[in-house]
Amino acid sequence: MSTYEIGGRTFTSRLLVGSGKYPSFAVMRDSLEASGTEIVTVAVRRVDLEDDSSEGFWAHFDKEKYTMLPNTAGCYDVKSAVTTARLAREATGSDFVKVEVIGDEDTLFPDNEGLLEACRILLDDGFIVLPYCIDDPVICKKLEQLGCHAVMPLAAPIGSGLGIRNPYNLRIILEQVSVPVIVDAGVGTASDAAVAMELGAAAVLMQTAIAGADDPVKMARAMNLAVESGRLAYEAGRIPMKLYATASSPLAGVIGS
């Protein structure tokens, strides 16, 4: 599968996976392996990164294999998002950060103004910034102009499993933004991931769809295959949609004609 770049680093896997909500760290480890991911998000406010015991997070996370993407999940204002990102860099050594500034407790939709301000500060701090944002072409363009290294528009509310609710907005974003577009939030099953990739997204990020499945490891494998097949279909170029039938076999030289 073709590669893509974020912040000067090249990646092959187009599936980003979260590290939370699994039944156990062991299941997390096996799911990450099955997913084939190279980038793993970590909610630094919800994981004890100081626990280096045999039962802790670090005992089940391969620092050499995965690029860690700390996120500012649970932050509802600029100050807490920036502080969390800075603490995450100190704790993990990673310059990558997924920036979340939540504006509504029920929908967990982002606060656009707060997100822009937090990203501006973190870019000045030298972070590789990947903002979680609404599926709005205008805010995505503003984030790109600010200097963000990717944009991460939601497909549906976080953890909803509703799949891609507005493919038309995503298509516009993909046409207008030149940095990688990573579809984030709302994926429920493998077909959702495939659709995102067929639209032309650089990658898909998910957590609940895998961690919340009856069999997270099996779902991780399914998502791996879906992302790969969706990307291949996008690169291959689908046939145009038509209202009427077109014969699948050529008519020239047909017997009796």
Side-chain angles (χ1 to χ4, degrees):
M1 191 158 55
S2 59
T3 62
Y4 68 108
E5 291 188 7
I6 300 176
R9 293 193 58 179
T10 301
F11 299 95
T12 300
S13 171
R14 294 176 179 271
L15 176 59
L16 288 68
V17 180
S19 58
K21 298 186 178 181
Y22 293 91
S24 68
F25 285 132
V27 173
M28 175 200 76
R29 177 198 62 216
D30 294 344
S31 297
L32 295 181
E33 177 69 26
S35 75
T37 188
E38 294 172 304
I39 303 176
V40 179
T41 63
V42 178
V44 292
R45 301 185 74 189
R46 298 169 180 163
V47 176
D48 184 0
L49 297 178
E50 296 183 358
D51 183 2
D52 58 0
S53 70
S54 61
E55 300 301 322
F57 175 80
W58 292 118
H60 298 85
F61 184 86
D62 189 340
K63 298 180 186 178
E64 302 300 320
K65 183 173 184 178
Y66 303 114
T67 293
M68 181 176 286
L69 176 61
N71 67 39
T72 62
C75 293
Y76 285 81
D77 57 73
V78 173
K79 182 179 179 180
S80 62
V82 170
T83 300
T84 299
R86 289 169 174 167
L87 290 173
R89 180 159 64 180
E90 290 182 14
T92 67
S94 176
D95 287 329
F96 279 70
V97 63
K98 176 187 172 185
V99 183
E100 298 183 30
V101 181
I102 302 302
D104 180 73
E105 292 186 9
D106 294 323
T107 63
L108 299 181
F109 283 162
D111 174 343
N112 290 340
E113 291 81 7
L115 179 64
L116 286 166
E117 180 61 22
C119 288
R120 184 179 295 110
I121 294 169
L122 293 171
L123 285 165
D124 288 342
D125 276 358
F127 281 89
I128 296 170
V129 176
L130 293 80
Y132 162 69
C133 58
I134 201 76
D135 58 341
D136 175 6
V138 175
I139 191 68
C140 286
K141 193 64 181 177
K142 287 183 177 180
L143 289 164
E144 179 189 27
Q145 292 170 343
L146 202 61
C148 293
H149 300 82
V151 291
M152 307 180 77
L154 55 81
I158 292 174
S160 67
L162 290 172
I164 297 174
R165 295 294 85 199
N166 195 337
Y168 307 104
N169 272 20
L170 289 176
R171 286 179 62 183
I172 295 171
I173 292 168
L174 287 161
E175 288 179 3
Q176 296 186 354
V177 173
S178 58
V179 295
V181 175
I182 302 171
V183 174
D184 182 12
V187 170
T189 191
S191 57
D192 300 329
V195 168
M197 299 308 299
E198 289 171 0
L199 287 171
V204 178
L205 188 151
M206 65 188 71
Q207 176 169 294
T208 307
I210 293 176
D214 292 341
D215 187 333
V217 177
K218 188 172 288 186
M219 183 62 80
R221 175 62 175 154
M223 293 299 189
N224 184 353
L225 295 170
V227 167
E228 182 174 358
S229 64
R231 181 64 189 184
L232 287 172
Y234 170 75
E235 292 176 350
R238 65 162 295 148
I239 63 171
M241 295 182 181
K242 299 178 182 179
L243 182 60
Y244 296 102
T246 301
S248 58
S249 300
L251 298 177
V254 173
I255 296 174
S257 62

